[in-house]
């Protein structure tokens, strides 16, 4: 079974219940390497960049401009395409 790393929308401020996806840096199916920026999101106070902690192929479950609940699944990176 392929190893998959899931990336959820993190809580950056205790007052925020939602955040907006502002940038997806890749297309689904693209290869990413450790420390690549994979998405940015906007809270009520800042824009936050998220980077990958593994190599693999990315699959997004959101689109730019989506407003999501904190904790929502944004993407996953798996070893197999």
């Amino acid at each position: 079974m392929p190893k998959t790393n899931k990336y959820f929308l993190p809580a950056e401020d205790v007052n925020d219940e939602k955040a907006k996806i502002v940038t997806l840096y890749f297309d689904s199916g693209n290869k990413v390497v450790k420390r690549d920026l994979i998405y940015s999101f906007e809270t009520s106070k800042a824009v936050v960049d998220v980077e990958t902690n593994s190599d693999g192929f990315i699959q997004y479950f959101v689109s730019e401009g989506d407003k999501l609940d904190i904790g929502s699944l944004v993407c996953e990176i798996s070893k197999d395409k």
Side-chain angles (χ1 to χ4, degrees):
M1 183 169 217
K3 183 172 179 351
T4 301
N5 292 317
K6 295 181 185 294
Y7 292 82
F8 298 90
L9 190 61
E12 288 296 316
D13 185 303
V14 295
N15 295 322
D16 288 328
E17 294 180 10
K18 292 188 176 284
K20 179 181 174 183
I21 302 296
V22 291
T23 306
L24 301 177
Y25 291 99
F26 294 91
D27 292 326
S28 286
N30 285 161
K31 182 161 181 56
V32 296
V33 296
K34 189 174 182 174
R35 297 196 178 112
D36 276 346
L37 290 180
I38 52 176
Y39 69 92
S40 296
F41 66 97
E42 181 178 34
T43 67
S44 61
K45 298 187 180 189
V47 173
V48 180
D49 294 326
V50 176
E51 63 182 40
T52 180
N53 56 13
S54 63
D55 297 348
F57 297 93
I58 194 163
Q59 177 66 46
Y60 289 106
F61 301 104
V62 299
S63 300
E64 288 181 2
D66 286 355
K67 278 199 150 190
L68 306 174
D69 292 329
I70 300 301
S72 295
L73 180 62
V74 174
C75 62
E76 64 184 20
I77 296 173
S78 61
K79 295 294 180 189
D80 298 325
K81 196 165 188 181

